């Protein structure tokens, strides 16, 4: 049985798994993500891969940033961008592991997983939205993940939502960690945006402890007015972005993922707002897409990374 090493590099942890060709896990774990430099990152990966040396045929990596999967280049690396900038990361890993390596953007990996055997299976044109700290995006066109001309398709976090605030000559947006405070879609419609909306409804101090998504949905289930207003506002903002994307992409189905997508109340809330907006705007030429929950949770990035590996390395 052929086996593969799958890696999901996140801002806090690197998750890894030894799987078969169907992404069925044999073994796995996680380690803290080194943010100190390339050598430390490579050493961490080499360290957890060492016990499995000779047992895997290749390595598939999901990671943040603008990633050229075809050439194996990480043009940026999200939170890793302090050292992950225009780096031949796939080649560097191949030197350490001694097997073929592919790298791909995490949003595109999530889309690949859902299109392979998940909520977008059999769909020609679809969209995955992962509501996390930002908004991960992956576009399926004609049954395949659309990478774009510069490997940047699906970076939906950066959809501009507040034109006026960006018109001044003094405008700058150059700190990734400030996304929640920026005039882009991720600032309002990510999980961070939901927390901010709830904190505003509760008039919580900006520098005090912030509620978690679980606490917000628990308050919503209990009928708390502030939680109900915050979720409605948040769902409206997500729906507005979907309309903007639909006007360009004309997809059949939109799959919602991310940690908060597990909450039973989220999808119906977004569906209600999307239905309402389309009903209020009969002049829209596009049709309302079907809205579904992503099938795969925390394993989506690794599953999709394997699918993209097979596209680059046919069995």
């Amino acid at each position: 049985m052929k086996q593969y090493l799958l890696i999901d590099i996140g801002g806090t942890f690197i998750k890894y798994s030894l799987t078969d060709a169907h992404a069925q896990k044999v073994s796995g774990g996680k380690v803290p993500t080194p943010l100190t430099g390339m050598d430390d990152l490579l050493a961490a990966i080499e360290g957890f891969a060492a016990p499995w040396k000779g047992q895997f045929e290749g390595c598939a990596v999901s990671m943040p940033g603008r990633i050229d999967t075809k050439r194996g280049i990480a043009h940026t690396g999200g939170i890793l961008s302090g050292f992950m900038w225009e780096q031949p990361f796939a080649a560097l890993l191949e030197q350490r592991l001694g097997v073929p390596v592919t790298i791909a953007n995490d949003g595109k990996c999530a889309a690949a997983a859902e299109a392979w055997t998940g909520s977008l299976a059999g769909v020609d044109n679809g969209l995955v939205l992962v509501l996390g700290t930002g908004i991960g995006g992956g576009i399926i066109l004609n049954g395949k993940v659309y990478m774009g001309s510069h490997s940047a398709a699906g970076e939906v976090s950066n959809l501009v939502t507040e034109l006026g605030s960006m018109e001044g000559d003094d405008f700058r947006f150059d700190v990734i960690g400030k996304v929640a405070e920026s005039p882009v879609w991720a600032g309002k419609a990510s999980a961070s945006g939901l927390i901010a909306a709830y904190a505003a409804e509760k008039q919580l101090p900006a520098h005090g402890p912030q509620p978690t998504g679980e606490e917000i949905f628990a308050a919503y289930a209990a009928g708390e007015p502030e939680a109900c207003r915050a979720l409605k506002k948040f769902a409206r903002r997500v729906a507005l972005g979907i309309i903007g994307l639909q006007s360009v992409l004309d997809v059949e189905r939109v799959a919602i993922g991310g940690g908060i997508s597990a909450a039973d109340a989220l999808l119906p809330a977004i569906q209600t707002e999307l239905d309402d907006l389309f009903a209020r705007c009969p002049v829209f030429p596009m049709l309302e897409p079907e809205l579904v929950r992503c099938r795969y949770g925390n394993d989506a990035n690794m599953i999709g990374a394997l699918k993209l590996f097979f596209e680059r390395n046919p069995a």
Side-chain angles (χ1 to χ4, degrees), residues 63-71 73-77 86 103-109 127-128 135-139 141 145-159 245 249:
M63 61 188 294
R66 183 166 67 89
I67 310 300
D68 184 339
T69 300
K70 184 176 181 179
R71 297 170 56 223
I73 303 295
H75 295 291
T76 68
E86 302 297 343
I103 60 175
N105 168 268
D106 45 15
K108 294 179 178 64
C109 286
L127 176 67
V128 167
I135 306 175
I139 302 167
L141 292 182
V145 177
Y146 178 60
M147 298 292 185
S149 299
H150 306 94
S151 306
E155 294 292 337
V156 297
S157 274
N158 305 304
L159 291 174
L245 290 165
L249 298 172

Side-chain angles (χ1 to χ4, degrees), residues 101-205:
V101 173
T102 57
I103 60 175
N105 168 268
D106 45 15
K108 294 179 178 64
C109 286
E114 294 300 330
W116 190 14
T117 53
S119 295
L120 298 182
V123 171
D124 286 334
N125 302 309
L127 176 67
V128 167
L129 298 175
V130 182
L131 307 181
T133 305
I135 306 175
I139 302 167
I140 302 298
L141 292 182
N142 300 318
K144 291 201 156 203
V145 177
Y146 178 60
M147 298 292 185
S149 299
H150 306 94
S151 306
E155 294 292 337
V156 297
S157 274
N158 305 304
L159 291 174
V160 176
T161 56
E162 299 172 38
L163 297 175
S165 65
M166 297 179 71
E167 290 173 351
D169 292 338
D170 59 345
F171 172 77
R172 289 185 66 83
F173 176 36
D174 53 7
V175 179
I176 289 174
K178 297 289 186 179
V179 167
E181 302 170 19
S182 69
V184 296
W185 196 33
K188 302 295 184 184
S190 62
S192 304
L194 173 60
I195 291 170
Y198 181 68
E201 290 289 342
K202 295 287 286 186
Q203 298 184 345
L204 300 177

Side-chain angles (χ1 to χ4, degrees), residues 37-125:
M38 182 66 78
D39 286 342
D40 291 336
L41 178 62
L42 292 169
I45 295 172
E46 191 173 19
F48 63 66
W52 297 329
K53 187 174 178 63
Q55 298 182 41
F56 53 89
E57 306 282 326
C59 174
V61 180
S62 164
M63 61 188 294
R66 183 166 67 89
I67 310 300
D68 184 339
T69 300
K70 184 176 181 179
R71 297 170 56 223
I73 303 295
H75 295 291
T76 68
I79 198 168
L80 306 175
S81 291
F83 59 88
M84 189 72 71
W85 198 269
E86 302 297 343
Q87 292 292 319
F89 189 53
L92 293 174
L93 261 185
E94 286 181 355
Q95 292 172 11
R96 297 287 186 118
L97 301 179
V99 296
V101 173
T102 57
I103 60 175
N105 168 268
D106 45 15
K108 294 179 178 64
C109 286
E114 294 300 330
W116 190 14
T117 53
S119 295
L120 298 182
V123 171
D124 286 334
N125 302 309

Side-chain angles (χ1 to χ4, degrees), residues 17 21 41 80 88 97 105 113 150 171 179 186 205 211 215-216 219 234 242 250 263 267 276 289 302:
S17 179
L41 178 62
L80 306 175
L97 301 179
N105 168 268
H150 306 94
F171 172 77
V179 167
E215 290 169 342
I216 295 171
F234 172 77
I242 290 174
D250 187 23
L267 209 66
D276 182 64
M302 287 193 281

